Every structure is written in structure tokens, then in C-alpha cells.
Amino acid sequence: DLQMTQSPSSVSASAGDRVTITCRASQDINNWLAWYQQKPGKAPKLLIYGASTLHIGVPSRFSGSGSGTDFTLTISSLQPEDFATYYCQQANSFPFFGGGTKVEMK
Amino acid sequence: QVQLHESGPGLVKPSETLSLSCSVSGVSIISYYWGWIRQSPGKGLEWIGYNYYGGPINYNPSLESRATIALDTSKNQFALKVTSVTAADTAVYFCARSHGGLIFWDEWGQGIPVTVSS
């Protein structure tokens, strides 16, 4: 089975910091990758699909890159509302999620 | 404006069947893909399965054939059943929408907590 591995599992950062989260697929998934943000008690929100396409309404400080097996989500300047858990998800026929990365306040 | 809303019992006994519905407004379920995702307490997201009108259904193999997803076009809603539940099925269950081709969830319900306990 294809597996999605995120790292780190958590990161401590301050407002204004640049934050990078990585996601590795156990096999080539082309650019079939999505990123989500989830806050406690809420449903996830789609941030990026197709590895690098920003979903409607998502701030431009979020960006995604990568292809094949290695992908990155970058928040260029962390804002207070960005403290949350982030998940990657392969977007092919078996849409498995990564384990999540919690962005915490330093 | 698309809205999804889950409903169903919040408590299910072990070995029984969990049954949930997702009501959709703002778009016909004849279009798009419709799926279920769950999240166990303190854990990550797990996809359960998804369906689209007239197409095959894909399920997560980890559910070991216990899950069934069905569309009801007359009510514009879709349902999830999970049989032979155990405590491991305790989770918040989300319904969600995906566009075709690539499966990524752009619209979500608010989630419904389900506890499996006697």
C-alpha cells in the first residue's frame, strides 16, 4: 500500500517565521497531492491541490511544491491564525493522508 | 453555496452497524464525488471511501469490507454504513466533496462524533 510520511510531526514557530513541512510518498504519485489545514474541533480546509495550486481564497503566503515522491508545504510568514495541524493527502484513487504536522507557538 | 451536514446516532453498541447520512445543499450529488473521512480521538485523518453517481465505489482496504456508501439522488444525500463496529471505530466522521479525476476534498461537513460503547 502507498504510504504518506510527513515530517516533522510537530514544529514550534513564532509569528513571522518561515515554516516548511515535507511529505514523502512511498511511490511516485506524479503531482497528485493535496494539503489541508485543520484547527481543533473543525473540519479540515483544503489549501493546495495538484501539489502547487492554491485553492480559492487561500492566502498567497501558502505555497506547495514537489513532484514524484517528495513534496513541500511552505508558509512564508507565519500568521497567528496559521497555528494548526497540516495534512498531506495523495489525490489518486486511494486518497490516503499523511500523519499530520502540528504547528505550535514557540 | 455548497453545504454538507452529517446526521445519525452518536452512540453505537459494539458489533452493531453504524449508520450516518450526509445531506447536501447547493449542488446536485449527481455531480462530483462524495466521500467519508474519519478521525479517531487525537489521531489523524483516515479516508473511508467515496462514490460518484453511476460509478464504482472505492473503499479503504483497512475497513475490510465493513463499509458501504450509497447515494440517494431523490433526497440529495449520501449514506455510510459500517458493520460489526468496535471501539476502534469511535471517531468524528466527516462527509466531503471532491471534484473528479484527482480526489481532493474541497467541501466538508462539520463532522459528527460517534462513540462505540455498550
Side-chain angles (χ1 to χ4, degrees):
Chain A
D1 287 348
L2 189 147
Q3 294 188 8
M4 308 300 293
T5 304
Q6 276 183 248
S7 61
S9 58
S10 66
V11 57
S12 295
S14 301
D17 286 353
R18 181 183 183 90
V19 174
T20 299
I21 298 167
T22 63
C23 180
R24 174 165 288 177
S26 58
Q27 57 187 264
D28 190 332
I29 58 169
N30 201 334
N31 68 336
W32 299 336
L33 187 95
W35 289 97
Y36 301 85
Q37 176 194 69
Q38 187 181 31
K39 296 183 178 179
K42 301 293 187 181
K45 289 185 177 180
L46 177 67
L47 297 175
I48 287 168
Y49 60 92
S52 61
T53 301
L54 238 58
H55 185 50
I56 296 171
V58 175
S60 59
R61 63 181 180 271
F62 291 92
S63 64
S65 64
S67 183
T69 60
D70 294 309
F71 302 88
T72 299
L73 172 69
T74 299
I75 310 171
S76 60
S77 178
L78 196 68
Q79 298 301 300
E81 60 268 30
D82 300 336
F83 291 99
T85 301
Y86 294 83
Y87 293 92
C88 64
Q89 176 231 309
Q90 60 156 344
N92 65 7
S93 298
F94 295 89
F96 290 99
F97 291 90
T101 297
K102 187 174 184 178
V103 178
E104 301 174 300
M105 195 175 300
K106 184 182 290 184
Chain B
Q1 180 185 359
V2 179
Q3 290 188 324
L4 291 79
H5 181 75
E6 304 93 345
S7 61
L11 181 64
V12 182
K13 290 182 168 56
S15 80
E16 296 191 345
T17 296
L18 178 161
S19 296
L20 299 174
S21 293
C22 180
S23 297
V24 178
S25 60
V27 68
S28 171
I29 64 167
I30 291 177
S31 304
Y32 302 103
Y33 288 61
W34 305 95
W36 292 92
I37 298 103
R38 69 182 182 181
Q39 186 168 36
S40 300
K43 302 292 186 180
L45 300 166
E46 179 184 33
W47 76 284
I48 299 170
Y50 63 88
N51 191 2
Y52 68 92
Y53 181 70
I57 307 173
N58 269 13
Y59 296 108
N60 189 327
S62 71
L63 274 293
E64 298 176 322
S65 302
R66 296 188 298 122
T68 302
I69 295 173
L71 304 184
D72 186 339
T73 57
S74 67
K75 297 180 180 178
N76 212 49
Q77 64 185 29
F78 60 106
L80 170 69
K81 292 185 187 299
V82 180
T83 60
S84 305
V85 297
T86 70
D89 295 306
T90 293
V92 176
Y93 286 75
F94 297 98
C95 60
R97 180 189 82 167
S98 175
H99 291 253
L102 300 185
I103 302 299
F104 53 88
W105 311 106
D106 66 340
E107 297 288 349
W108 294 69
Q110 82 282 3
I112 183 170
V114 177
T115 300
V116 178
S117 175
S118 55

